[in-house]
Amino acid sequence: MNSETRLLGALIPSRGYFPDFLTPVEGQYGWDVGLDALRGIHPERLRRELTLVGAGAAPSSPRIREFMDGGTKHLPRLLGELRGYHRAAVEPYWTHIQAQIEAERAARGRALLDGGADELLASLPPMLRWRAPVLECDYPVDRDVRLRGRGLLLQPSFFCRRTAVTLHDPELPPVLVYPAAAQLVSAPAGGEGARRPVEEQRQKTLGKLVGHTRSVVLRAIGDGATTSELARRAGVSLASASQHACVMREAGLVTTLRRGNAVLHTVTPLGAALLKGGAVAS
């Protein structure tokens, strides 16, 4: 374990209990807001959750015991380790992560608009099964989460794998973190283009876009569009819409999510920046 993340590593076991305070609900409003919530955690809650982490360690980690004894005085160190890990392991890939999550959100939003809550819950990945009025989940342990009239925050995650995750404390706002199910359509493989560095290939493709009708097609995608919807909005043929979407996907401007026999195109952060004039091709 890297010395710069030893405390964080002790708090995140490979299996078993994961402390709720590391995933504050306020984090849905942004990274900095989540860190502020963690900074203001009540000492009693901190000690209670650290006790649960320590109970699952074999043998109990001396770093966890040190954290428990010191209480909130160790929070600045933990926040520093979180920032360092985020900088090294998340920030370099943030554009790709955000594109996949936005594609997932677009797909679930469309399901909600098409058929309401039932359609939304039925459209979730296979490890989640909607059998009204119960949402069944593949989960490491047998557990019931009762909403008691509270809403349920559905949170797609790029890092979650195989099973869903929820908070341990039943009194906290109900959150269900589930694997982003986006079946992303990849750019064509093979050929000379596939052997070029990704960024070089994207710059070349971006150059093709500037000043051409693909900007119209990119705008036509809006908050998400199937290929047929894209063709209708942009006033082009179905084949032309598909070809334009393929080129923009190679350039990293569009993410394409497969849903059964149809596909849903969404604009990536890079595509949105280009539309706003924030990206310039060389």
Side-chain angles (χ1 to χ4, degrees), residues 35-81:
L35 289 181
D36 285 341
L38 178 55
R39 186 181 293 109
I41 188 173
H42 193 280
E44 179 55 35
R45 178 187 171 189
L46 181 66
R47 183 174 181 81
R48 182 174 66 250
E49 295 188 12
L50 288 173
T51 299
L52 292 173
V53 176
S60 181
S61 167
R63 293 187 181 86
I64 294 177
R65 293 197 301 271
E66 179 185 356
F67 202 166
M68 289 176 62
D69 293 339
T72 55
K73 79 174 187 180
H74 290 293
L75 281 177
R77 176 185 167 190
L78 176 61
L79 292 171
E81 291 191 10

Side-chain angles (χ1 to χ4, degrees), residues 126-234:
M127 75 283 299
L128 304 170
R129 296 169 295 280
W130 174 235
R131 294 170 181 167
V134 176
L135 180 63
E136 297 180 353
C137 309
D138 292 339
Y139 208 74
V141 296
D142 187 12
R143 184 183 175 196
D144 292 333
V145 176
R146 301 188 183 279
L147 299 183
R148 305 196 303 273
R150 300 173 294 173
L152 175 65
L153 175 63
L154 293 172
Q155 180 64 61
S157 170
F158 182 84
F159 301 99
C160 191
R161 293 290 184 268
R162 293 185 295 277
T163 64
V165 180
T166 189
L167 298 174
H168 180 271
D169 187 345
E171 298 306 315
L172 291 173
V175 178
L176 184 65
V177 180
Y178 68 92
Q183 298 175 328
L184 299 179
V185 178
S186 303
E192 181 181 353
R195 292 193 293 269
R196 296 192 187 100
V198 173
E199 291 305 317
E200 178 186 338
Q201 180 73 7
R202 286 186 173 178
Q203 287 293 338
K204 181 176 180 180
T205 311
L206 277 170
K208 298 177 186 177
L209 292 169
V210 177
H212 291 79
T213 56
R214 291 194 183 105
S215 61
V216 176
V217 176
L218 189 60
R219 290 184 185 280
I221 292 176
D223 293 329
T226 64
T227 304
S228 58
E229 289 171 340
L230 181 57
R232 184 174 66 253
R233 293 176 189 175

Side-chain angles (χ1 to χ4, degrees), residues 72-95:
T72 55
K73 79 174 187 180
H74 290 293
L75 281 177
R77 176 185 167 190
L78 176 61
L79 292 171
E81 291 191 10
L82 280 168
R83 288 192 186 94
Y85 185 82
H86 184 270
R87 204 162 37 241
V90 177
E91 281 185 4
Y93 313 102
W94 181 243
T95 298

Side-chain angles (χ1 to χ4, degrees), residues 1-3 5 11 17 22 25 27 107 138 154 162 170 178 180 189 205 221 238 248:
M1 175 70 66
N2 189 303
S3 60
T5 57
L11 295 174
Y17 174 74
L22 283 180
V25 174
D138 292 339
L154 293 172
R162 293 185 295 277
Y178 68 92
T205 311
I221 292 176
L238 193 63
M248 290 188 290

Side-chain angles (χ1 to χ4, degrees), residues 83-132:
R83 288 192 186 94
Y85 185 82
H86 184 270
R87 204 162 37 241
V90 177
E91 281 185 4
Y93 313 102
W94 181 243
T95 298
H96 174 69
I97 294 169
Q98 190 175 20
Q100 182 157 346
I101 296 302
E102 288 300 323
E104 172 70 20
R105 291 177 62 186
R108 302 307 150 221
R110 176 164 292 230
L112 179 63
L113 290 173
D114 288 346
D118 280 332
E119 180 67 20
L120 166 63
L121 294 172
S123 75
L124 292 170
M127 75 283 299
L128 304 170
R129 296 169 295 280
W130 174 235
R131 294 170 181 167

